[in-house]
Amino acid sequence: MKKAAVSLLLLLLFFCISYYAQAQPKIGLALSGGGAKGLAHIGILKALDSAGLKIDYVTGTSMGSIMGALYAAGYNGDSIERIARAVNWDVLLSNSASLRSMSMSEKNEYDKYAIELPWVNHSFRLPSGVLESQELWLKFSELFFPVYDIKDFSKFPRQFRCIATDVSTGEAVVMKEGEIVSAIRSSMAIPSVFTAVDYQGKKMVDGGIVRNFPVRDAKEMGADYVIGSSVSGGLLTKDKINNVFQVLLQIAFFREDEDSKKEKKLCDLYVHQPLENYSMGSFGSASEIIDSGIVTGRKYYPLFKHLADSLSAIYGNKVLATKIDPPHKDSVYITQYEVRGLQQTEESFLMHRMQFEINQWYTGKELADHIRAAFGTRYYRKIIYSLEPSANGTKIIFDVEENPLTFAKLGIHYNSFSGISLIGNLTSRNFLTPYSRDMVTVNVGENMRIKGEHLQNFGKFKNFSSSIFAQAEQLTFNSYQGYNKDGAFTQSYIDLDVNFRVSPTRSLLMGVGNRFELFHYKPDITAKQVQVKGSHSFFNAYTFIKYNTLSNNIYPRKGRKIDVEGGYIYNQTPDFNVYGNGYRTNNYDSLDLKFNNFFRLMFDGINYTPLSRRTTFIQHLQAGMNFNNQQVMLNDYRIGGMSYEFRNQVLFAGLNENTINSGSVATLQLGMRYQLYSSLYFTARANAGYYDFISSNWKGVKPTFISGYSVSLGYNFILGPLEISAMYSDQSKSLEPYITLGMAF
């Protein structure tokens, strides 16, 4: 700070001399790259605004280019802070989009597997590991929508330039015109992390490779005085270099460190950001980094304020910063469009899925939402756009990169009930017919399972579809008597299903269908209660409604998911023997078993409400009801477990799977989840419910109350979520462990 004060006095002396030469001083701002640490620049922007110091030129590299471009475009420090705190960095800086962007037919499968291998040039390829980040492109396009028609960055409210690196030459490229979104995306394209960007005939990557701190560029723009804010920590000390990766990282930053030292000497006022406890990838600590930058900004505020006041005294109030807003362009009238890059899908399909029409007004948010509607089909890897003003409106250009049509996917799953298994999936689009999806999934482990589906989309907007589905599985269940294990049996199950549905929005799916279901039961351990050996089949005509606005499938922070199904069971065909206390009886009448047709209704709704940045309130309501069902066990709802594993399951913290069988059940679970760290979660749950409350079912047993609780520690890593729980039920009076890993079949 003392050195900065001396610099300030010398500057004022320079300005006094300039005054007599009638030269009005120009002030530049240079912002370094540094990944997540670059968010600390926000504190400097806020301090400059508060001091009223007018900034004429802005330069930036990588994250500094994002912060700088927003500031140059007219956003103030406060608005940039609000944007940065509200952004979901996990989504922006990944190849995953928000689950809300996916079409309903894709949501259950999206982001489910640990590995996805595309079929390219007659073989499956390993994933590249680099990020395209569709959501990042869309967010930039939305933020810079107000300046879409400014192609010369010197025409921004504050003149702007950013730095990228030309892959072919390794030289720095100063970007000062073109598409601002492509420019800043180029500047932050860290090699091996982000894909390179084609920009004005060159392939660009992160400017931080050659010029991470662009002070000289602010000088070249005409700045008489440059304030430089750097978040770079420099090279590692020898005691912190402990492995080969740190050695490689050290070598990679040799050139950057040397250049940054030179650039630092060019600063008239150098702002050091003390961020030693954070790394380039610390986006999980975004708020803490912003807070640190604000603290630094407050330390330098007196200098900024003194400089602003002194300049005002010399040159008058015209040198003070005035409030700058982004140009007021809330919407654009689009009269033409062009699509580039399509090979496997037709232009009409893309435009219909986007439901995009010309000669309409669009906001930046609306354009992003239309693009998400097409991206959610998973036919596309990237859809970005640019806008070109014309005499009678604006032309929009869509640049499209398609996904490969076929993927092989792999995941691992462990559950206390189903055991360990490897899950493989093969998904192919347009394999049998255009605009279709064929999928086969196999579960190899202690319980074997397989399912396949052919989904055909049709209609102008491809929001109507039909599905042919088949599933076969074999599961081993424990049976219970009075909350104690009483036996075991193996259930084999076959499901053949045809349905027709419509999806009017990306959040809603409804339809009708008919399925044939076949069960085969084989007792493994004799139980005292009723057991079944043999087969049972029936048809189930049903209608359903599905609604899903979850932010993501794994540890969602907000949104709700609702599944409702009403069915009519008919044409039941029993072919089994009944055992009671280990003795066989073939007299169904003596057990009051009847195989009449009956109605059933299932409801499963879960809602996530964010209470704070780290805390989420969970509400989960489930119900399953058979009406006039005169059979025991065969079509009952199976209560217990903490993750979905089989048909007719009703989750209940405190009880193991299949602890209770009932023809009617309703439960309510309330939970509180707290994010301890970026991928570590603590969850507490409490649930209660009633079962056997419909008197028309078998034997008309009386309603019974149940309650239970659980606490869980979960960690989300590359194989999926690992959750270790302890659960307790007031009825069983026992404390049980429960472990899950990965996403279920």
Side-chain angles (χ1 to χ4, degrees):
M1 291 293 286
K2 289 182 179 180
K3 183 179 179 181
V6 172
S7 298
L8 180 59
L9 291 174
L10 293 174
L11 171 70
L12 293 176
L13 179 61
F14 167 77
F15 283 161
C16 288
I17 296 172
S18 299
Y19 173 73
Y20 291 102
Q22 298 298 312
Q24 184 173 321
K26 300 290 184 180
I27 299 179
L29 175 66
L31 305 177
S32 79
K37 295 191 292 183
L39 295 170
H41 292 313
I42 294 172
I44 306 306
L45 302 180
K46 287 168 65 72
L48 290 169
D49 290 343
S50 297
L53 187 60
K54 180 185 176 184
I55 300 297
D56 300 285
Y57 308 112
V58 183
T59 61
T61 298
S62 198
M63 182 59 80
S65 75
I66 301 172
M67 300 293 106
L70 290 170
Y71 196 59
Y75 290 92
N76 60 34
D78 288 338
S79 59
I80 296 173
E81 180 189 1
R82 286 193 295 270
I83 291 167
R85 290 191 189 275
V87 159
N88 187 335
W89 293 103
D90 289 338
V91 172
L92 285 193
L93 302 176
S94 72
N95 279 329
S96 297
S98 168
L99 189 64
R100 295 182 176 187
S101 299
M102 296 297 108
S103 62
M104 280 297 291
S105 60
E106 298 293 334
K107 290 192 176 188
N108 284 341
E109 292 293 312
Y110 185 65
D111 223 12
K112 180 177 178 178
Y113 297 92
I115 299 174
E116 294 192 4
L117 306 174
W119 178 265
V120 180
N121 295 330
H122 310 294
S123 65
F124 287 110
R125 298 290 182 87
L126 290 173
S128 65
V130 295
L131 303 177
E132 185 61 65
S133 189
Q134 169 74 19
E135 284 297 317
L136 187 66
W137 283 99
L138 293 181
K139 190 63 178 180
F140 285 168
S141 296
E142 186 179 332
L143 291 174
F144 291 99
F145 183 80
V147 293
Y148 77 86
D149 57 344
I150 302 178
K151 308 302 181 182
D152 180 353
F153 304 160
S154 66
K155 304 297 184 184
F156 283 178
R158 299 179 178 95
Q159 295 189 45
F160 176 71
R161 292 180 184 177
C162 61
I163 312 300
T165 303
D166 186 341
V167 172
S168 62
T169 65
E171 298 298 321
V173 177
V174 181
M175 295 177 288
K176 51 188 176 181
E177 60 184 4
E179 295 294 331
I180 183 62
V181 172
S182 296
I184 60 175
R185 177 62 176 79
S186 300
S187 182
M188 62 167 291
I190 303 171
S192 78
V193 177
F194 288 97
T195 54
V197 177
D198 293 320
Y199 185 84
Q200 297 185 343
K202 299 178 180 179
K203 190 168 288 292
M204 303 288 203
V205 293
D206 194 309
I209 297 172
V210 291
R211 194 179 305 157
N212 195 50
F213 194 20
V215 181
R216 77 181 73 169
D217 302 284
K219 293 280 189 181
E220 291 172 1
M221 292 173 76
D224 300 299
Y225 184 82
V226 178
I227 300 169
S229 174
S230 175
V231 298
S232 177
L235 295 175
L236 298 172
T237 58
K238 63 179 183 179
D239 58 300
K240 293 184 178 180
I241 303 175
N242 301 314
N243 56 56
V244 65
F245 298 105
Q246 290 171 331
V247 171
L248 293 174
L249 192 66
Q250 187 87 333
I251 294 171
F253 282 105
F254 279 162
R255 183 176 177 183
E256 180 214 315
D257 186 67
E258 181 183 355
D259 185 77
S260 292
K261 289 177 181 177
K262 295 178 181 178
E263 298 290 326
K264 179 181 175 181
K265 294 177 182 179
L266 297 176
C267 291
D268 297 287
L269 176 56
Y270 175 72
V271 178
H272 172 65
Q273 301 269 10
L275 298 165
E276 292 78 9
N277 295 328
Y278 304 100
S279 69
M280 295 176 62
S282 299
F283 286 96
S285 302
S287 289
E288 290 85 348
I289 293 172
I290 294 171
D291 291 340
S292 176
I294 291 173
V295 171
T296 301
R298 288 172 181 160
K299 291 179 181 178
Y300 282 86
Y301 168 80
L303 291 177
F304 298 156
K305 180 62 175 172
H306 186 52
L307 178 58
D309 291 344
S310 300
L311 290 175
S312 177
I314 298 172
Y315 295 97
N317 290 334
K318 63 181 180 178
V319 299
L320 291 178
T322 57
K323 188 176 186 298
I324 298 176
D325 293 318
H328 293 286
K329 291 185 177 67
D330 297 327
S331 58
V332 59
Y333 189 71
I334 295 180
T335 56
Q336 305 175 63
Y337 76 87
E338 179 184 349
V339 180
R340 300 171 179 170
L342 290 180
Q343 295 179 350
Q344 300 165 161
T345 57
E346 297 176 357
E347 184 177 294
S348 59
F349 173 72
L350 173 69
M351 303 309 289
H352 286 153
R353 288 298 302 191
M354 287 197 296
Q355 298 190 27
F356 183 85
E357 298 179 1
I358 60 173
N359 300 319
Q360 300 283 342
W361 288 93
Y362 292 94
T363 65
K365 188 176 184 304
E366 288 170 343
L367 287 173
D369 205 46
H370 281 284
I371 288 174
R372 289 187 182 99
F375 183 79
T377 64
R378 304 209 71 186
Y379 276 95
Y380 306 103
R381 183 167 181 254
K382 180 178 73 174
I383 306 173
I384 61 175
Y385 71 89
S386 57
L387 298 165
E388 294 184 354
S390 61
N392 61 344
T394 301
K395 178 181 180 180
I396 187 169
I397 300 172
F398 296 104
D399 286 291
V400 181
E401 184 177 332
E402 294 167 310
N403 267 323
L405 292 176
T406 301
F407 279 84
K409 308 173 187 180
L410 294 171
I412 192 169
H413 178 60
Y414 174 80
N415 176 268
S416 299
F417 163 77
S418 59
I420 187 74
S421 60
L422 181 67
I423 302 176
N425 172 279
L426 184 65
T427 298
S428 185
R429 303 177 195 279
N430 300 353
F431 180 68
L432 296 177
T433 55
Y435 307 115
S436 66
R437 184 193 70 189
D438 292 282
M439 185 170 63
V440 176
T441 307
V442 179
N443 183 102
V444 180
E446 297 177 37
N447 293 282
M448 299 297 294
R449 314 172 82 169
I450 184 171
K451 63 183 177 183
E453 180 187 34
H454 175 77
L455 177 70
Q456 180 67 56
N457 297 298
F458 54 91
K460 178 180 178 181
F461 301 109
K462 302 296 185 288
N463 56 352
F464 289 90
S465 59
S466 62
S467 169
I468 301 174
F469 175 87
Q471 178 171 333
E473 65 182 23
Q474 181 174 290
L475 298 173
T476 299
F477 291 83
N478 290 317
S479 56
Y480 291 80
Q481 180 74 27
Y483 302 101
N484 296 314
K485 292 180 183 178
D486 184 47
F489 64 94
T490 297
Q491 172 188 284
S492 301
Y493 173 61
I494 294 176
D495 176 13
L496 305 176
D497 189 317
V498 177
N499 62 65
F500 299 88
R501 57 260 193 101
V502 60
S503 182
T505 71
R506 278 173 285 153
S507 302
L508 180 63
L509 180 70
M510 46 193 175
V512 296
N514 195 27
R515 63 172 68 102
F516 169 76
E517 299 182 70
L518 170 65
F519 291 88
H520 182 81
Y521 302 95
K522 184 186 73 172
D524 296 325
I525 300 175
T526 302
K528 295 179 181 179
Q529 65 174 355
V530 173
Q531 287 185 305
V532 172
K533 182 178 182 180
S535 301
H536 177 229
S537 65
F538 53 86
F539 287 90
N540 180 1
Y542 64 93
T543 182
F544 65 91
I545 298 175
K546 297 179 180 291
Y547 180 76
N548 189 332
T549 61
L550 297 183
S551 55
N552 48 287
N553 274 326
I554 301 173
Y555 295 121
R557 287 204 68 242
K558 59 183 177 180
R560 61 179 54 92
K561 181 180 180 182
I562 299 173
D563 290 335
V564 183
E565 181 178 304
Y568 181 67
I569 306 297
Y570 66 100
N571 282 6
Q572 296 193 66
T573 306
D575 184 19
F576 56 81
N577 296 313
V578 180
Y579 293 79
N581 291 319
Y583 295 98
R584 170 182 166 183
T585 175
N586 289 326
N587 187 354
Y588 298 153
D589 292 336
S590 64
L591 296 172
D592 292 330
L593 296 182
K594 298 176 183 177
F595 299 95
N596 54 302
N597 302 338
F598 66 91
F599 289 96
R600 67 198 303 264
L601 177 66
M602 295 183 66
F603 177 90
D604 191 345
I606 188 165
N607 184 69
Y608 296 88
T609 306
L611 300 181
S612 69
R613 188 168 54 88
R614 293 183 177 273
T615 307
T616 304
F617 179 45
I618 306 168
Q619 313 105 66
H620 192 182
L621 177 64
Q622 296 176 93
M625 292 172 280
N626 296 334
F627 301 93
N628 197 30
N629 175 24
Q630 299 299 310
Q631 306 138 39
V632 63
M633 191 179 77
L634 299 180
N635 268 295
D636 278 354
Y637 301 96
R638 298 179 174 182
I639 305 170
M642 295 179 62
S643 66
Y644 292 103
E645 298 291 331
F646 49 84
R647 173 188 180 273
N648 277 12
Q649 184 181 7
V650 175
L651 302 184
F652 200 84
L655 299 177
N656 288 313
E657 289 84 354
N658 199 48
T659 297
I660 299 172
N661 282 251
S662 176
S664 56
V665 58
T667 66
L668 173 64
Q669 182 182 101
L670 301 177
M672 198 71 72
R673 186 175 67 220
Y674 183 75
Q675 186 177 9
L676 299 168
Y677 298 102
S678 60
S679 298
L680 187 64
Y681 300 85
F682 175 80
T683 308
R685 300 177 178 90
N687 47 206
Y690 277 95
Y691 65 93
D692 284 345
F693 52 81
I694 294 181
S695 59
S696 64
N697 290 332
W698 185 71
K699 287 191 175 181
V701 291
K702 64 180 182 179
T704 303
F705 176 79
I706 50 175
S707 56
Y709 321 89
S710 70
V711 291
S712 305
L713 190 65
Y715 182 73
N716 187 23
F717 69 119
I718 190 170
L719 294 178
L722 170 64
E723 193 158 280
I724 301 173
S725 307
M727 59 183 189
Y728 176 82
S729 169
D730 293 314
Q731 287 69 43
S732 67
K733 305 293 184 183
S734 62
L735 185 67
E736 299 280 352
Y738 198 91
I739 301 173
T740 61
L741 169 65
M743 301 292 283
F745 177 81

